[in-house]
Amino acid sequence: MPTMDIGIDLGTSNVLVYVRGRGIVINQPSVVAYDVYSKKILAIGAKAKKMIGKAPENIEVVRPLKKGVVFDLTITERMLKAFIKTAMEKRISVGRPKVCVCVPSGITEVERRAVEDAVYRTGAKTVYVLEEPLAAAIGTSIDINSARGSMVVDIGGGTTDIAVVSLGGTVESQSIKCAGDDYNAAMIKYIRRKYNLLIGEQTAENAKIAIGSVYERPEELTYTVKGRDLIRGLPKGITINANETIEAFSEPTMQILNAIHGILEVAPPELVADISVSGITLTGGGSLMYGMDKLIKEKTGIDTYVSDRALEAVVLGAGMAEDIPEYSRGTE
Ligand SMILES: Nc1ncnc2c1ncn2[C@@H]1O[C@H](COP(=O)(O)OP(=O)(O)OP(=O)(O)O)[C@@H](O)[C@H]1O
Ligand SMILES: [Mg+2]
């Protein structure tokens, strides 16, 4: 049951906003385009994302949150306010709303405060700040209050957050700065090294989503990427095979597997025993990569499932978060 009026997932790659009675009303990339001279915001979200790598000198296109931290606080605040303003207009209920916002795990106390204040300034009555993996667990229908421990791995754009939850809280957790963005970077690096071809970030992401794999695919699947030939300095296209990307992604994949292993090593044995029965739940866009579940299962021996709402779990969890004081830092 939703308890919040508004739930927000302030992600490194995507911002989602849930409004009680309406569902998810905003699902936009965390990208902002602004005029370098006047600082006027020109576009936010999908429209701004299309401008990445293509904007003229007077336009700066930024991702204000990067690697799970706030890279540009002023722009983050402006983006957040614009999204909340739209969400407020879509509300059914009246009065000042109760808002729960999930922030990247690497955020500092100062930035967390700033996000909270920005939400308060949009007219919120109470602001709750929730840890991302806990929200992901709630949003993917894990009973976090149960005494049986569960493990959630949220592979986002900037960070992978691993948490063991039990009795309403996080028992053990780790956040590593290795996630979807690093797979894009690994794709760029691999294609440059192997084919002497330089591709852009957006091309790399499109290729990753189309054919990226971390586990052998049974079928043959190819994708053509275009960029600049580094030897001749001219445009060129090459066709890559899905199974080649397993090798291209080996470094970020290894980091994620090691982090999961690390948590299993330090978690209390009773909870590890629970997880071996209940399995590992994957959320976040990165978990949609082909074979992520199969690979984790193979390496840990624990059944692993991708949430059927991998991209929405955090925002749904924010909307359903319990109205408990520990989550709220602010005053009314
Ligand atoms: N089908 C797919 N296959 C592989 N990767 C995908 C797929 N769909 C989305 N992604 C990747 O998922 C990432 C975005 O996931 P998500 O929206 O969960 O991140 P976020 O919540 O904004 O980031 P963070 O939690 O790190 O702040 C991007 O790197 C994107 O390329
Ligand atoms: Mg996220």
Side-chain angles (χ1 to χ4, degrees), residues 1-5 20 98 318-323:
M1 266 309 282
T3 44
M4 295 290 159
D5 298 303
R20 191 212 287 264
K98 261 194 308 199
M320 291 191 283
E322 273 180 73
D323 202 344

Side-chain angles (χ1 to χ4, degrees), residues 14-296:
N14 297 297
V15 179
L16 284 83
V17 183
Y18 162 91
V19 172
R20 191 212 287 264
R22 288 262 190 239
I24 297 167
V25 297
I26 292 171
N27 184 351
Q28 292 277 339
S30 333
V31 185
V32 178
Y34 64 93
D35 187 296
V36 179
Y37 305 108
S38 70
K39 303 276 181 243
K40 191 173 166 275
I41 289 188
L42 304 171
I44 298 183
K47 226 172 125 191
K49 191 175 183 184
K50 284 207 183 91
M51 298 161 85
I52 291 180
K54 295 182 178 175
E57 257 177 25
N58 61 321
I59 299 175
E60 186 92 58
V61 187
V62 292
R63 288 180 56 189
L65 301 138
K66 252 186 220 163
K67 293 258 142 210
V69 301
V70 178
F71 190 67
D72 186 327
L73 190 54
T74 317
I75 301 280
T76 299
E77 282 185 314
R78 290 175 74 182
M79 177 178 78
L80 190 58
K81 275 179 162 165
F83 285 143
I84 295 179
K85 191 166 163 276
T86 312
M88 291 274 200
E89 287 161 5
K90 298 207 156 86
R91 286 175 65 211
I92 301 169
S93 48
V94 286
R96 291 160 66 209
K98 261 194 308 199
V99 181
C100 176
V101 52
C102 290
V103 292
S105 47
I107 201 163
T108 66
E109 196 50 41
V110 173
E111 291 162 349
R112 179 190 172 115
R113 273 266 166 219
V115 167
E116 252 184 78
D117 290 346
V119 182
Y120 271 115
R121 279 196 300 261
T122 60
K125 182 170 175 237
T126 324
V127 182
Y128 299 79
V129 180
L130 187 59
E131 292 167 45
E132 218 179 325
L134 206 52
I138 299 169
T140 193
S141 307
I142 290 175
D143 179 9
I144 62 157
N145 293 315
S146 138
R148 175 190 271 192
S150 1
M151 181 183 250
V152 181
V153 179
D154 180 80
I155 310 174
T159 56
T160 294
D161 293 277
I162 303 156
V164 175
V165 293
S166 164
L167 296 169
T170 305
V171 180
E172 209 66 66
S173 70
Q174 202 198 351
S175 176
I176 57 164
K177 290 186 195 309
C178 175
D181 288 349
D182 299 274
Y183 281 85
N184 298 349
M187 177 77 91
I188 295 174
K189 196 167 151 189
Y190 176 82
I191 289 177
R192 194 184 56 214
R193 277 211 189 137
K194 186 160 178 192
Y195 299 103
N196 274 312
L197 182 75
L198 185 63
I199 59 166
E201 207 180 308
Q202 199 52 58
T203 300
E205 181 168 41
N206 293 342
K208 175 187 76 176
I209 291 175
I211 61 156
S213 317
V214 294
Y215 199 88
E216 197 82 12
R217 295 210 192 217
E219 79 282 14
E220 176 88 6
L221 193 63
T222 58
Y223 187 86
T224 303
V225 289
K226 291 187 179 128
R228 182 174 54 236
D229 183 321
L230 285 169
I231 296 170
R232 299 194 308 144
L234 294 171
K236 189 173 110 177
I238 54 123
T239 299
I240 52 168
N241 195 305
N243 288 332
E244 270 185 273
T245 67
I246 302 173
E247 181 196 340
F249 294 153
S250 61
E251 211 178 294
T253 302
M254 194 51 78
Q255 280 193 46
I256 293 173
L257 289 174
N258 284 344
I260 294 173
H261 193 198
I263 289 289
L264 287 169
E265 264 178 353
V266 296
E270 294 291 0
L271 292 178
V272 175
D274 287 350
I275 296 164
S276 74
V277 178
S278 56
I280 299 174
T281 306
L282 306 182
T283 61
S287 72
L288 299 173
M289 178 91 72
Y290 179 86
M292 200 57 98
D293 48 351
K294 293 184 181 67
L295 183 70
I296 295 173

